[in-house]
Amino acid sequence: MSDESVNATDAHLRGIIDEYMGAFEPDPAESVGLRERILQIVREDAVLAPATKLTTERGNPFRMATAEVRGIIREAVDSVPGIRARSVNLTPAGEPEGSAVEVSLTVTMSAGTAFVSAAEDVRRSVAGALIAQVGIPAMRVDVTVEDVFVDEEAADD
């Protein structure tokens, strides 16, 4: 985030806070540092990471760190025998937007793994993890194999 963008955001937020403070009329002793604390929270949130906008079943919007959602998906993919997650991309979908998600991912597959059945296992695993951990269904899970690897443990058997 550039300094100019931070300053514009700070100015906008200061205006909102001033408007709130004018309507609320808090005790001056209680409001010491409130404005700076709010700005600090907003700045920290903006620096954390990109977030994905989602919507609960009841239509309440929320944001979740995109890295966190990708981590949930990667764990679900890696739980499928012979498959390892590589890239994970997600797009909010559904009506209202964000009430579901479309997932596009690339994987590596161990030599000898049947792709069609493994891809179905990946789709089920990802869909189950998203419902269980995020509360959002997967409308689509696209799986692309990028590479094949030799599973050292299976080769030793």
Side-chain angles (χ1 to χ4, degrees), residues 8 35 61 63 81 86 95 140:
R35 176 183 292 129
R63 296 171 65 89
R86 302 249 347 225
E95 190 56 46
R140 188 174 79 212

Side-chain angles (χ1 to χ4, degrees), residues 16-61:
I16 292 170
I17 294 166
D18 287 343
E19 182 179 328
Y20 171 77
M21 298 293 271
F24 180 63
E25 296 182 31
D27 180 330
E30 293 176 8
S31 64
V32 173
L34 177 62
R35 176 183 292 129
E36 287 309 311
R37 179 65 186 132
I38 291 171
L39 290 172
Q40 179 186 3
I41 291 168
V42 171
R43 283 188 209 111
E44 288 171 359
D45 186 51
V47 171
L48 283 178
T52 300
K53 295 178 185 178
L54 300 169
T55 306
T56 66
E57 289 178 352
R58 295 184 178 183
N60 299 320

Side-chain angles (χ1 to χ4, degrees), residues 52-95:
T52 300
K53 295 178 185 178
L54 300 169
T55 306
T56 66
E57 289 178 352
R58 295 184 178 183
N60 299 320
F62 69 99
R63 296 171 65 89
M64 186 169 185
T66 303
E68 181 68 22
V69 181
R70 285 180 177 153
I72 290 167
I73 292 169
R74 279 192 179 92
E75 284 181 27
V77 171
D78 290 348
S79 73
V80 176
I83 303 291
R84 296 295 164 257
R86 302 249 347 225
S87 67
V88 175
N89 294 303
L90 44 120
T91 306
E95 190 56 46

Side-chain angles (χ1 to χ4, degrees), residues 102-115:
E102 293 180 352
V103 179
S104 176
L105 53 96
T106 61
V107 300
T108 60
M109 179 175 70
S110 72
T113 299
F115 175 71

Side-chain angles (χ1 to χ4, degrees), residues 118-131:
E120 286 305 314
D121 291 344
V122 166
R123 288 184 183 99
R124 276 191 295 278
S125 182
V126 167
L130 286 170
I131 285 289

